Amino acid sequence: MAEPGDPDLFKDKPAPRPEADPDAEVGFCSPDALAGRPRTVEPEPEPEPEPAPEAEAEAEPEPEAVSQPAPTPEPVPVAKPPYTPPPRREPVDDLPEPEGMMGLYTVYALILFAIPTFGVSAVIGLLAVMVRDVPTHAVAASHHVFQVRTLWTAAVVAVLGVILIVVNAGVFVLFLLVLWVLMRGAWGSWMLKSRRAIPSPRSWWI
């Protein structure tokens, strides 16, 4: 605090001069410093403008669809037609009268019994077919021709076999004749029972 008689240190300074309290200049507490000074109200900072919402992110491009080959259509299974059994073959009604059928069966029986009777029944059968007329029915006619062919051939070969016995070849010929007559007699009987005609009645085989 300045005492009386101290030099005036603030004479060159404009008013107001701190004559009464030079200590304020050197950092001491002065009455003016203790007095409240009006505080300048600082203006409130203006609110910063909110940033504009960023534009929505551009939609990501959808991945291009991978072109796949068109699936090959599966073949539609074709429904198979239901199985139809073959038509049953009806027996041929082209037969002679009952008397004619009985005669044909009788001749076949004489042919089959020619072996145990040593040819006697075959001779009777040959006479029976020779005195009979040829039937008009197709099935009966084929069997009639077949029987005549069998009996005449058997008679000729039997005579030849008996002659060849002298040279020891007749037994073999007669043995083959027995097999041939039995085969033709059995096959002809079966065809007649089935009401079927003989395909080749004039042949040497069946």
Side-chain angles (χ1 to χ4, degrees), residues 16-75:
R17 295 173 55 189
E19 297 177 352
D21 193 4
D23 293 335
E25 299 295 331
V26 294
F28 293 97
C29 187
S30 60
D32 292 337
L34 295 177
R37 297 180 181 178
R39 186 176 181 179
T40 306
V41 179
E42 296 180 0
E44 296 182 359
E46 296 181 0
E48 297 181 0
E50 296 182 359
E54 297 181 0
E56 296 182 358
E58 296 181 0
E60 296 182 0
E62 297 181 358
E64 296 181 359
V66 180
S67 59
Q68 298 180 353
T72 305
E74 297 181 358

Side-chain angles (χ1 to χ4, degrees), residues 92-163:
V92 180
D93 196 18
D94 188 14
L95 291 175
E97 298 299 325
E99 294 79 10
M101 287 184 61
M102 187 59 64
L104 292 173
Y105 278 119
T106 301
V107 174
Y108 278 124
L110 293 173
I111 292 174
L112 294 175
F113 280 100
I115 307 306
T117 59
F118 298 98
V120 176
S121 63
V123 174
I124 298 173
L126 180 60
L127 295 175
V129 296
M130 292 303 297
V131 299
R132 290 178 58 190
D133 296 331
V134 179
T136 56
H137 296 82
V139 175
S142 66
H143 284 275
H144 177 79
V145 175
F146 181 76
Q147 291 173 350
V148 172
R149 189 83 168 183
T150 302
L151 292 171
W152 270 114
T153 305
V156 173
V157 175
V159 174
L160 181 62
V162 172
I163 297 174

Side-chain angles (χ1 to χ4, degrees), residues 108 111-112 181-191:
Y108 278 124
I111 292 174
L112 294 175
V181 169
L182 291 176
M183 180 181 60
R184 285 176 68 93
W187 188 69
S189 301
W190 179 77
M191 292 292 287

